Amino acid sequence: MKILSVDTSATAASVALSEEGKLIGETFINTSLTHSQTLIPMVEQLLNNTKTEISDIDAIAVNAGPGSFTGVRIGVAAVKGLAFANNIPCVSVSTLESMAYNFLSTDCIVCAVMDARCSQVYNALFEIKNGVVTRLCDDRALSLDDLKNELLSVDGRIIIAGDGTDITCKYIGNEIKNAESAPVNLKYQRASSTALVAFEMINNGQTVSAQKLMPVYLRLPQAQRELNKKLGGRTK
């Protein structure tokens, strides 16, 4: 089974091609160019370099959120287009869960964090033991203060990963002695890890059609929150 995987959920972007859990190729960039400029050329280059036709792909996976509203929309829209045109099933992967799969070789607690602005992060915790990932909580948006208080009660080695790593580590300072920042080569979500999550989900029958694939948001967009605030409605 060949899986094409995509991540555009934050500043970095990546695409990967895998087969039966084996990585065939991956492209990763972390530039100021918008994902709308880079994503499709990256997909085309990867398929060309691996001598793969889109008709050879059995499933397309995407980090569907949480993350940047614009980035998530671009990734999901691109995958929907590719999948719909070629009748390929899709896999909706949690961005935070894909980060945990960067650490399969390390027994630890992965604290996946993405900058949600306003002193908040998108977060989930995962335990890695003997190469098996166990989710400890749902994906959520919470304040840095609430996250710090929760981590104070977590035993064992904690690795903080994601584009919210620096702000999280700065906020908790030296208060959590068993917490550390992920090394730079493992800090960010990558499409190759998205593929690992997707492979397990496909084996469990967790695919969706292109029509049903949707972005996953944990908060309303800023513009909508500001409008709702003016109207006295929901602001989170």
Side-chain angles (χ1 to χ4, degrees):
M1 172 177 289
K2 286 188 177 180
I3 303 173
L4 177 66
S5 301
V6 171
D7 172 71
T8 57
S9 58
T11 302
S14 57
V15 296
L17 181 68
S18 63
E19 185 171 17
E20 300 301 326
K22 176 186 175 181
L23 180 64
I24 298 173
E26 182 179 26
T27 301
F28 176 95
I29 61 172
N30 192 2
T31 70
S32 59
L33 295 175
T34 65
H35 299 321
S36 59
Q37 294 175 287
T38 59
L39 179 57
I40 295 303
M42 288 170 65
V43 170
E44 291 175 342
Q45 183 182 48
L46 178 64
L47 294 180
N48 287 336
N49 288 344
T50 57
K51 308 300 182 186
T52 303
E53 301 291 335
I54 192 67
S55 58
D56 298 327
I57 302 298
D58 297 294
I60 307 179
V62 61
N63 278 344
S68 156
F69 289 101
T70 301
V72 168
R73 282 198 301 270
I74 290 171
V76 169
V79 168
K80 285 171 73 73
L82 289 169
F84 183 80
N86 298 279
N87 195 30
I88 302 173
C90 301
V91 188
S92 176
V93 175
S94 159
T95 309
L96 297 168
E97 185 170 2
S98 73
M99 289 184 209
Y101 278 68
N102 291 357
F103 302 91
L104 289 179
S105 63
T106 305
D107 285 2
C108 63
I109 302 296
V110 176
C111 174
V113 284
M114 302 183 73
D115 187 2
R117 309 293 176 87
C118 303
S119 298
Q120 288 190 325
V121 289
Y122 301 125
N123 166 258
L125 302 177
F126 304 87
E127 181 182 29
I128 315 293
K129 190 169 184 179
N130 298 324
V132 177
V133 179
T134 301
R135 177 181 281 274
L136 300 181
C137 66
D138 292 335
D139 292 356
R140 63 226 176 138
L142 78 169
S143 70
L144 286 168
D145 194 53
D146 286 342
L147 178 60
K148 180 179 73 172
N149 289 335
E150 184 170 336
L151 292 180
L152 284 168
S153 64
V154 174
D155 295 324
R157 182 184 183 186
I158 302 171
I159 298 179
I160 302 172
D163 70 357
T165 296
D166 293 344
I167 61 169
T168 301
C169 289
K170 181 178 179 180
Y171 190 84
I172 64 177
N174 296 319
E175 292 185 54
I176 304 175
K177 303 299 184 182
N178 54 323
E180 63 191 80
S181 171
V184 66
N185 62 312
L186 299 175
K187 182 183 289 188
Y188 302 108
Q189 56 272 36
R190 301 187 69 109
S192 52
S193 291
T194 307
L196 293 174
V197 182
F199 183 64
E200 293 185 7
M201 294 178 68
I202 291 168
N203 287 334
N204 291 327
Q206 295 174 276
T207 62
V208 296
S209 66
Q211 295 92 327
K212 292 185 177 179
L213 179 67
M214 297 295 290
V216 177
Y217 301 133
L218 297 183
R219 293 194 322 187
L220 294 173
Q222 178 68 25
Q224 186 64 55
R225 284 185 279 127
E226 291 296 328
L227 176 60
N228 287 0
K229 184 178 180 179
K230 292 179 181 179
L231 298 176
R234 178 185 169 194
T235 59
K236 296 183 178 180

